[in-house]
Amino acid sequence: MPEMPEVQGLVDYLGERLAGRRVTKARISAISALKTYDPPIESLEGTTVVATSRHGKFVDLSTDAGTHLVFHLAKAGWLRWYDLLPSTVIRPGKTPIALRVGFDDDSGFDLTEAGTKKSLAVYVVRDPAEVPGIARLGPDPLDPSFDRAALASLLAGRRTQIKGVLRDQSIIAGIGNAYSDEILHAAKMSPYALAGNLDDGEIDRLYAALSATLAEAVAAASGKPPADLKDAKRRGMRVHGRRGEACPVCGDEVRSVFFADNSLEYCPTCQTGGKLLADRRLSRLLK
């Protein structure tokens, strides 16, 4: 799933190319992807893009008509950019393309979604806060106001595993499965540690790891075209998606815990005192 660094990379890339561009085409080919009906998506045609921004993992293209094209790529969605938008006819149900948007310089993009579980979401709204997922977002960890004290306040009293806290968009916006693994590895912290039980030193480490990991990932994504962002993300991972490989810090084997539809990765030496995490959702450390 694209997370905040990759989404920020998309926003920066689109922002450079779309400011001042007039929308000439906005066509949905996967009806399930469109979550709003008023304004209709066709109302974007003829408007001019004035800004591109990010809300957590949502991309927001705002227009001079006061409307916003907002989309969330979910687990299997992606954006294909074209300097010359294809003229081929999109056949609903016969293509992974969910949305095609074209501009007055003949450029454009498709939103695509692989697999059978369709979660990609497209909204046309007058205010981004009308999107339920945006309305419930917690603070953005890249915001200057998100300091160590802000993180400590969010963690206080939470009887929830820290891995889940980092992934909860209503607590902190933009972090998902991959970067929560990376942050916890950098912080030398078990994914099963209870958020409300972290002491001052652990919160210090967590804040430093969160800030550095996300800043490095955003810098790595900056300036890259959409086609290169996924590979850049994979190359930057130290433990996530590295099951069976050697931890780059200590050399121990990276281990996984599998859940219904995803997994987490961690280093036992760096994060759990050498103990293995049992492979079930509510596990504690093996005795």
Side-chain angles (χ1 to χ4, degrees):
M1 175 185 289
E3 298 179 30
M4 180 250 283
E6 295 79 51
V7 175
Q8 186 63 51
L10 285 176
V11 165
D12 294 342
Y13 187 88
L14 293 174
E16 292 177 0
R17 285 154 180 80
L18 297 184
R21 296 260 68 96
R22 181 170 53 84
V23 179
T24 57
K25 178 182 293 186
R27 305 288 168 79
I28 282 284
S29 55
I31 298 301
S32 62
L34 184 61
K35 307 302 181 184
T36 55
Y37 63 91
D38 181 28
I41 192 155
E42 294 80 10
S43 68
L44 294 170
E45 296 178 359
T47 67
T48 298
V49 177
V50 295
T52 308
S53 57
R54 178 183 60 79
H55 312 278
K57 302 177 191 176
F58 292 83
V59 176
D60 176 5
L61 305 183
S62 56
T63 75
D64 61 349
T67 51
H68 298 252
L69 172 63
V70 177
F71 56 86
H72 189 292
L73 295 168
K75 189 170 185 177
W78 197 240
L79 182 146
R80 294 180 187 167
W81 173 263
Y82 303 96
D83 290 329
L84 181 61
L85 190 68
S87 58
T88 53
V89 176
I90 302 172
R91 298 176 61 191
K94 304 294 184 181
T95 171
I97 298 171
L99 170 70
R100 173 164 287 178
V101 182
F103 300 93
D104 58 359
D105 62 349
D106 296 325
S107 68
F109 64 82
D110 289 336
L111 297 187
T112 65
E113 187 170 25
T116 57
K117 185 178 180 181
K118 303 301 183 182
S119 303
L120 184 147
V122 176
Y123 308 82
V124 182
V125 293
R126 296 178 181 87
D127 183 343
E130 295 173 24
V131 178
I134 292 178
R136 70 179 184 87
L137 286 176
D140 193 297
L142 292 186
D143 191 289
S145 66
F146 190 87
D147 55 14
R148 193 267 187 200
L151 176 61
S153 177
L154 292 174
L155 300 179
R158 291 189 184 275
R159 305 294 297 173
T160 310
Q161 294 170 351
I162 189 61
K163 167 79 175 179
V165 170
L166 292 177
R167 292 187 61 191
D168 189 331
Q169 300 303 293
S170 67
I171 300 175
I172 303 173
I175 301 172
N177 195 36
Y179 286 104
S180 57
D181 281 352
E182 295 298 299
I183 290 165
L184 291 171
H185 178 257
K188 299 185 180 297
M189 186 174 296
S190 169
Y192 290 171
L194 294 181
N197 287 355
L198 300 184
D199 61 30
D200 286 344
E202 290 169 325
I203 294 175
D204 289 342
R205 293 205 317 271
L206 182 61
Y207 179 73
L210 184 152
S211 300
T213 299
L214 295 179
E216 290 169 6
V218 168
S222 178
K224 287 185 171 57
D228 295 342
L229 284 173
K230 290 183 180 180
D231 285 341
K233 176 181 179 178
R234 293 188 189 100
R235 287 194 299 269
M237 295 289 130
R238 295 189 170 203
V239 291
H240 183 79
R242 303 288 188 184
R243 177 173 174 256
E245 298 181 22
C247 169
V249 174
C250 72
D252 194 2
E253 180 183 345
V254 174
R255 308 299 180 105
S256 293
V257 177
F258 291 93
F259 303 126
D261 58 355
N262 57 34
S263 66
L264 67 80
E265 278 79 45
Y266 70 101
C267 170
T269 295
C270 290
Q271 295 175 252
T272 61
K275 297 178 180 179
L276 300 183
L277 296 174
D279 194 8
R280 58 184 184 273
R281 185 179 295 270
L282 299 179
S283 169
R284 292 183 178 275
L285 290 175
L286 288 173
K287 302 299 183 182

